[in-house]
Amino acid sequence: MENPSEKAPARWEGLPSWLLAQTANHAHRLVTDGFSSVRARGYHYRLLATLEDFGPASQAALGRRSGIHVSDMVATINELADRKLVERAPDPSDRRRNIISLTAAGRRQLRRLEEQLAERQDELLAPLSTEERQRLTELLSRLLDHHNRRTGAPEEPSR
């Protein structure tokens, strides 16, 4: 909505799809602002976390594991490599391919991003109790799993 102070028409204000979309907008803004405060983007977090969870990998493997499209992967790696958060090295088994590794500075940046995420989750879910937060997460996970299975979409990596 252009003016958030205006009330949505009752016809749709209680629809779960509308409520989810509006909440997703707030969640995206909060996380984007948090990452921006430490000079990062969502792709940076996804790539750094994937490297920490799975170890060094080729760009193709990182793309599959992180869900970052190949067209965005090179730019993301370049941004992180320029800041010394990841390193590229030739793959000893195939010199045409690079292996991407997480650096110590990359691990420190990942900790900062995780702190930002935790703060933003708290901000997003502020009106909910711990039990309500857990239940909401369970319900959203169930919905996402259902629709991923239905559409054949790959399951999102657990985080």
Side-chain angles (χ1 to χ4, degrees):
M1 294 173 61
E2 287 182 34
N3 184 351
S5 65
E6 291 181 15
K7 189 132 174 79
R11 166 173 272 159
W12 73 69
E13 72 180 352
L15 292 173
S17 57
W18 188 84
L19 294 167
L20 282 168
Q22 297 306 303
T23 303
N25 289 338
H26 289 290
H28 184 265
R29 178 186 48 78
L30 289 168
V31 170
T32 298
D33 290 350
F35 284 166
S36 292
S37 74
V38 291
R39 295 183 39 221
R41 299 183 300 120
Y43 280 173
H44 295 167
Y45 170 73
R46 287 166 60 182
L47 187 60
L48 295 173
T50 299
L51 284 168
E52 184 171 72
D53 287 352
F54 294 100
S58 67
Q59 289 179 189
L62 286 171
R64 286 189 302 276
R65 292 174 181 156
S66 68
I68 299 173
H69 193 273
V70 66
S71 63
D72 296 313
M73 181 57 72
V74 173
T76 303
I77 291 171
N78 286 344
E79 291 167 5
L80 296 174
D82 289 347
R83 294 176 54 198
K84 310 282 191 247
L85 302 176
V86 300
E87 291 177 337
R88 283 188 183 98
D91 184 342
S93 65
D94 183 350
R95 293 270 183 211
R96 296 170 295 176
R97 181 170 58 188
N98 284 319
I99 297 295
I100 312 304
S101 301
L102 187 61
T103 65
R107 278 188 183 79
R108 288 189 298 275
Q109 178 69 348
L110 181 56
R111 297 291 86 78
R112 285 188 286 276
L113 294 173
E114 288 171 337
E115 288 172 12
Q116 286 298 318
L117 270 176
E119 289 175 18
R120 303 313 169 162
Q121 301 308 302
D122 282 342
E123 190 174 345
L124 177 69
L125 302 173
L128 303 179
S129 69
T130 301
E131 295 78 22
E132 289 171 325
R133 291 174 185 207
Q134 183 176 354
R135 184 67 180 141
L136 176 64
T137 301
E138 290 167 359
L139 291 170
L140 290 171
S141 293
R142 193 164 131 202
L143 280 170
L144 183 58
D145 289 346
H146 167 79
H147 290 288
N148 280 345
R149 280 192 307 276
R150 216 171 123 248
T151 62
E155 290 188 28
E156 290 290 317
S158 300
R159 282 290 313 145

